[in-house]
Amino acid sequence: MTKHPEIVLVVHWAGGAHSEMRLPKRRRGQRNSTSDDIIAVIRKLVLIASDDLIAGLLNRNGLKTGNGNRWTRERVTTTRSYHHIPVFRRAEDSVEPWLNLSDAARLLKVASKTLRLATEAGQIEAVHPLPDGPWIFARPALTTDAATSITERARQNPRYPAGSHPNKQSLFSSTT
């Protein structure tokens, strides 16, 4: 029976107490790499965000590099370069192909909450790569009949722009 090589750290405390911690040694050729899930998130976020913003979003969601470090702009840049992910660039004609929630809502002339609720209900297609991160909309998804319907509904009921779908039945009967 062979033992796996490990590093044993023993701390001798005053009073005779000892703490021991065992860590496996890295094997030859073994490396710590960033998970494929995080690489997929970076591929999506680069559609709307710079490396600085991506680093902040990854840190806010508690994600770490392959070595367990916090994300920085340099680490995001290196990861992008290694995985051949293109850098985020603003469109020269100012017509961005990908929009975040607030830009998409501004384009549709509705409240951000209205668009977010419609997206969460599955009425408009969008990507939400991180739980505490931005929604990403493709510009063509904002020109569909569903997007037009949401815009019209919001304009018909300006006091409650984030209201429910008109075909949805109410749980409460009218009290008037």
Side-chain angles (χ1 to χ4, degrees):
M1 185 155 112
T2 61
K3 279 185 105 176
H4 294 291
E6 61 185 3
I7 298 170
V8 179
L9 176 67
V10 179
V11 179
H12 298 277
W13 300 98
H18 306 299
S19 297
E20 183 177 295
M21 187 159 84
R22 295 178 176 270
L23 301 169
K25 274 189 177 178
R26 282 182 20 184
R27 292 187 208 114
R28 184 180 178 128
Q30 179 184 4
R31 64 185 181 95
N32 300 331
S33 60
T34 303
S35 76
D36 292 338
D37 293 340
I38 294 176
I39 302 304
V41 166
I42 292 173
R43 284 187 195 284
K44 290 176 183 144
L45 290 176
V46 79
L47 297 172
I48 63 163
S50 66
D51 291 351
D52 280 326
L53 184 56
I54 292 171
L57 290 166
L58 294 171
N59 288 328
R60 183 169 54 182
N61 283 274
L63 301 174
K64 303 282 186 187
T65 66
N67 289 326
N69 297 319
R70 290 179 52 81
W71 286 94
T72 62
R73 180 186 73 230
E74 291 79 12
R75 288 180 178 138
V76 172
T77 302
T78 301
T79 302
R80 263 192 327 86
S81 177
Y82 182 80
H83 292 281
H84 308 291
I85 301 171
V87 67
F88 168 73
R89 294 195 196 286
R90 294 237 174 248
E92 290 179 16
D93 59 359
S94 298
V95 179
E96 299 293 337
W98 298 94
L99 303 166
N100 63 21
L101 178 65
S102 57
D103 291 340
R106 193 175 310 113
L107 180 71
L108 292 177
K109 296 183 175 84
V110 297
S112 294
K113 183 177 180 182
T114 301
L115 184 55
R116 181 181 51 80
L117 291 174
T119 304
E120 288 174 350
Q123 297 169 358
I124 292 185
E125 188 177 332
V127 178
H128 194 220
L130 294 171
D132 191 11
W135 286 90
I136 302 172
F137 296 86
R139 188 174 287 272
L142 301 173
T143 59
T144 62
D145 292 338
T148 306
S149 169
I150 291 164
T151 303
E152 289 173 6
R153 248 185 314 154
R155 289 194 184 113
Q156 288 173 358
N157 197 357
R159 290 186 73 193
Y160 303 101
S164 61
H165 192 277
N167 298 340
K168 193 173 186 179
Q169 292 181 351
S170 174
L171 295 175
F172 306 101
S173 60
S174 177
T175 57
T176 56

